[in-house]
Amino acid sequence: MFDVVVLASGRGSNFAALIAAQHRGELPIRIRALLSDKRTAPALLLAENAGVEAVALAPREFADRASFDRTLFARAAEFAPDLIVLAGYMRVIDSAVIEAWRGKVINIHPSLLPKYPGLHTHARALEAGDAVHGASVHFVTAELDGGPVISQVELPVLAGDTPELLAERLLHLEHQLLVATVGVIARGRVTLRARAVQYDGHALVKPLRLEDIQQGASTLAGT
Ligand code: GRF
């Protein structure tokens, strides 16, 4: 079985989407644990209610970022995960720790990367006058929101959109994108080799689109 550990700092709706998809039998994965850097994160309760082990560690109880991250990832390693999913995990991870897990950690980010790494992505898309916004799932590297992009979903910006409205509409698509992307990774179709995302053994020339993953497309890869 393909074992997954999820890291979340807050609400946990992306985590909940993974749990729901797993329960529907859509994902060939076992969600082993939910780890959080916030003791009050609602995601922890979601985990407990779903019978998933919930672990919270407080960064302020550690000397520095590196020792917190080493401990957090050592806890994750106890579950022998094939994949670690950052789903609304709001801390930057120490570069030495993350590089040791290269190709095994993915993150969902609410923008069409490489546009708008970091925070306030919806407001920044609106300020820029973008006609299209979206979300990305990428492999995590030491560069903040800068690792190789696996998949994306697009969303039209509508007249009258606010950051809140945009965030809410996008969130539903994020859930689908994360579930679909974890699915192709768990089925062994997507891997990371050097800086290139491999899809069915070929380097991707552009990110997978949600629609293509859902249709099971097999003609997206090129070299
Ligand atoms: C999502 O928008 C995700 O893309 C971003 O943080 C938010 C987390 O939402 N990184 P949730 O905790 O999964 O509900």
Side-chain angles (χ1 to χ4, degrees):
M1 194 41 106
F2 191 88
D3 285 326
V4 173
V5 165
V6 180
L7 270 55
S9 301
R11 178 177 55 184
S13 71
N14 278 286
F15 168 63
L18 290 175
I19 297 267
Q22 183 204 16
H23 287 173
R24 289 194 303 269
E26 290 172 14
L27 281 179
I29 65 170
R30 197 161 56 169
I31 301 179
R32 298 293 314 279
L34 183 281
L35 272 54
S36 185
D37 59 320
K38 293 263 190 304
R39 290 224 163 94
T40 54
L44 291 163
L45 285 178
L46 292 177
E48 283 163 16
N49 290 340
V52 170
E53 190 155 340
V55 178
L57 292 177
R60 65 172 182 282
E61 291 170 12
F62 292 80
D64 52 26
R65 178 186 302 283
S67 58
F68 174 78
D69 289 343
R70 275 197 298 273
T71 305
L72 185 73
F73 278 74
R75 290 302 301 273
E78 289 171 16
F79 299 96
D82 298 293
L83 183 70
I84 296 179
V85 178
L86 309 188
Y89 183 70
M90 301 308 284
R91 282 175 62 85
V92 174
I93 297 165
D94 175 76
S95 55
V97 172
I98 204 64
E99 285 302 334
W101 285 83
R102 199 181 171 87
K104 292 225 167 205
V105 184
I106 62 170
N107 177 48
I108 179 143
H109 182 76
S111 80
L112 294 172
L113 292 170
K115 277 187 166 182
Y116 317 129
L119 298 173
H120 310 302
T121 56
H122 315 298
R124 287 155 73 195
L126 286 174
E127 274 159 27
D130 291 354
V132 176
H133 186 43
S136 308
V137 176
H138 64 94
F139 281 110
V140 180
T141 61
E143 197 188 334
L144 178 68
D145 298 325
V149 177
I150 304 164
S151 59
Q152 291 184 324
V153 62
E154 294 187 350
L155 172 77
V157 177
L158 304 178
D161 260 339
T162 62
E164 294 73 24
L165 286 171
L166 211 43
E168 193 182 312
R169 283 210 314 287
L170 186 59
L171 191 63
H172 297 286
L173 295 174
E174 284 186 41
H175 297 161
Q176 293 177 44
L177 184 69
L178 187 61
V179 167
T181 306
V182 169
V184 282
I185 296 172
R187 292 181 177 94
R189 300 188 71 179
V190 165
T191 54
L192 180 65
R193 190 175 304 164
R195 270 200 66 83
V197 177
Q198 306 274 314
Y199 183 70
D200 286 349
H202 299 278
L204 270 189
V205 289
K206 57 181 184 343
L208 298 166
R209 294 172 350 138
L210 173 62
E211 304 76 21
D212 296 329
I213 303 178
Q214 288 175 334
Q215 286 160 19
S218 58
T219 54
L220 296 162
T223 46

